[in-house]
Amino acid sequence: MSTTVDDLGAQLIAAEGAHVAHNYHPLPVVAARAEGVWVTDVEGKRYLDLLSAYSALNFGHGHPAILAAAREQLERLTLTSRAFHNDRLGPFATALAQLCGKDLVLPMNTGAEAVETGIKVARAWGYRTKGIASDAATIVVANGNFHGRTTTIVGFSDDPTAHDDFGPYAPGFVHVPYGDADAIAAAIDENTAAVLLEPIQGEAGVVIPPDGFLRRVREICTENNVLFIADEIQSGLGRVGETFACDREGVVPDVYLLGKALGGGILPLSAVVANEDVLGVIRPGEHGSTFGGNPLAAAVGLRVVEMLASGEFQTRAKALGEHLAQGLESLVGHGVTAVRVAGLWAGVDIDPAAGRGREIAEKLLARGVLVKDTHGQTIRIAPPLTIRATEIDWAIEQLRHVLS
């Protein structure tokens, strides 16, 4: 019996379920092609991508300028390891440092690697520069955080799904309520090396802190000789209508943690960016990665930074974010209990009477819209920054329909 097109997707999902570890619970769609903001599945149906791979696809699927940079580099040199120099890393690091207004870049691959690197840098700085007693350094973190999935990082998560059954965990982390600057000030003592925060908490449901919170954190860290580390892996690189979410309050952290969109949506690339007096504490041989700073990733990252330097994508995200906010706010009281919007990034709290977040995501999938739920009743919306206003309007109409 011949296989129909409709059977193909089910077969591929079944094969994945049989041979891929069940660490995700994907929506039942099998993507085969994509361009811009649209994804096509193996059955030929098109979907509007409102997730952007958690901001990794800020510039859309297959952006021509990014693909061109990758193709050109593929023909020249892809990997050397950091045992040798390559001709792409220097230009990339220079451009990224300038974009961030910092001196140095430490390139890695994944977002979790960037966070782990930031933790190591903070501890080394605490011992070698601040003078904290050996093995006594602490880092202040926020409740509701999501910084990655390594054992160190999940050890200071308060999400049971991420945290439970993976211990024992590394000590040295002090929890405070997110958005509470006074609690941060109270948590700091002579052993505090850093405060590690997401300027906007993504996995928690696009949770935006109170106005002035980041400015106060910056002041507290400066007053106490403590590093302010901003995890801008999801929030940075144009997503919120600024280059970084910290820019919304005119704040410059000591350390930027970057990833996701830095790789242009085609490969993993992350970075820790800081000044010489901070990143300079890391000595040769103390940290590294075989693929970190590889010439292919550096060539792609350089193109991404060049695109951001123009300001075009930040401007689009800000203007279209206002359009998105207006549309989503019209749904409050009509199946939505609250919305939080920063640029082209939104958390939408679904009224339980309308269904759970997963149910709404599945209904939107059936109508050609890709979103992802989080924490039961919230869906996240984060389209590529190349989306059009008419496409936003269409997506909101689909959401309005499934809620009704």
Side-chain angles (χ1 to χ4, degrees), residues 31 64 75 285 292 296 356 398:
E75 299 293 331
L296 178 59
R356 290 181 60 79
Q398 306 319 302

Side-chain angles (χ1 to χ4, degrees), residues 45-76:
K45 184 176 179 180
R46 297 175 77 229
Y47 303 83
L48 183 63
D49 184 355
L50 295 189
L51 184 62
S52 301
Y54 309 104
S55 289
L57 287 157
N58 277 6
F59 308 99
H61 295 270
H63 191 288
I66 296 172
L67 291 181
R71 290 192 187 102
E72 180 183 357
Q73 191 61 37
L74 277 169
E75 299 293 331
R76 297 177 65 248

Side-chain angles (χ1 to χ4, degrees), residues 142-146 178 198-209 345:
N143 295 338
N145 72 75
F146 182 85
Y178 184 68
E198 299 159 88
I200 295 174
Q201 290 189 328
E203 184 72 16
V206 191
V207 177
I208 302 170
W345 202 17

Side-chain angles (χ1 to χ4, degrees), residues 157-168:
S157 169
D158 57 3
D159 179 355
T161 303
H163 175 276
D164 292 357
D165 296 329
F166 301 116

Side-chain angles (χ1 to χ4, degrees), residues 350 354-364 379 399 402-403:
I350 303 299
R356 290 181 60 79
R358 172 79 183 197
E359 294 172 314
I360 299 303
E362 289 174 346
K363 290 178 179 179
L364 284 171
I379 60 172
L399 178 56
V402 302
L403 290 171

